[in-house]
Amino acid sequence: MLTVSEAQQRILSHFEPAVSHRRAAVARGTNGVELQTLSLDQTAGRVLAEDICATIDLPPFDNSSMDGFALHAADTRGSNSSNPVTLSVVADIPAGNLSNIVISPGQAARIMTGAPIPAGADAVVTVEVTDQSREPGAPAPEAVSVYQPVQPGENIRHRGDDIYAGSIVLARGRRLCAQDLGLLAMLGVSKLQVYRSPRLAIFSNGDELIPVEAPLIPGKIRDANSYTLSILAAQAGAEVIPLGIAADECAAIHKLLDLAVEAQADLIVSSAGVSVGAYDFVKQVVEEQGHLEFWKVNMRPGKPLAFGLYRGIPFFGLPGNPVSAFIGFEVFVRPALERLSGAAPLSFTRRRARLAEAIDSDGRESYLRAVVTEENGALLARLTGHQGSGNLLSLVQANALLIVPSGVKSLPASAEVEIWML
Ligand code: AMP
Ligand code: MG
């Protein structure tokens, strides 16, 4: 049986060509299939397909970082509260306005945060170190007394302090987040080229499954995996093609696999029907029009896990038990999606924690549900009760997966383990 990392390697080898194809498409220029040009507000979470070079300086002009008075720093030398310097106020510059007045020695301009520094001035004193009021709506005074010296440049944000025109601010392959969009907006980038999202088709398999809105009748259960897996896929940056539920019949499974191919899925994920049950037809159906690389991985939960190609499209047959399906997605599907999207991972944070109590394992690489808390500066992990692969509540209660390496059958309290924060 394959180890988890062997299975991961075999899976990832099928996704390499997709990435190089994608890179090649970019090198050749636009390719309508692989790239999309979107307006800025549609790009959060998408992967940038071009380097973004600033075409302007940021800030675009010298401006005040404080509400106060723009002046000649030299005029304030030696001033203090008992011996202030008094300057005549020759301009009032709210944010959004330019002043053509040149500030001469002995003069000042009232200025607001973000307003352009007038010519002549080389510093700003804050309103707090003057005799002026901070009331909204107060008119500009005729004169201002300053109680503290300032250095040249103080309280001025210079043009280009943040970014110079011509510098690359975001590189191709970046997954765009909130602050990236803010920066792009400041730079005036209203349209961007991004990679199209990987398309992931999902279906569940089993005669016992009914949709969430159907009344529960004896012998049936509601389909959990369609929800869990769709959300995980969407959060990992995929465009989800939901295909519903296939009955335990070859024809029904074929039909949904073919629908996935017609919808131009980049990968197909199903759950259940890949074990050794008499009605587990998924493996057989995939092999009729493709091949399976493997269908068992030495892990817990989730040993029956199939991977192959169906009509040339990578296919993941995850286990049916809801916790196994979740973990199978995290361990195998997510890394494949990451490789396909050509971006930095959106994986869970990986940490190390100490066990709060001793645990047993069966020698398989195990992914256990745990609550991790910080106690006296150290992370402590406790299992969340029933670890059966059908017990979704213990996954709901968990905030981490705790990984017991293969070959380990028991770990004492306070042993250090790897955890994935959920
Ligand atoms: P199987 O792999 O088909 O033997 O399914 C294993 C277990 O997972 C069975 O108890 C199924 O009823 C259950 N199961 C399969 N698919 C789902 C699903 N989509 N939602 C919830 N439970 C499921
Ligand atoms: Mg089944």
Side-chain angles (χ1 to χ4, degrees), residues 35 45 119 175 177 192 228 265 314 352 358:
L35 303 179
R175 194 182 291 281
C177 59
L192 319 178
T228 309
R352 301 201 57 89

Side-chain angles (χ1 to χ4, degrees), residues 204-210 220 245-249 253 271-273 279:
S204 296
N205 175 243
D207 280 351
E208 73 278 34
L209 301 179
I210 53 174
K220 306 287 182 189
I245 300 168
D248 284 321
E249 292 159 12
I253 298 163
S271 60
Y279 300 93

Side-chain angles (χ1 to χ4, degrees), residues 16-33:
E16 227 108 52
V19 174
S20 45
H21 165 67
R22 197 164 266 209
R23 298 241 159 94
V26 175
R28 280 200 307 273
T30 45
N31 172 324
V33 181

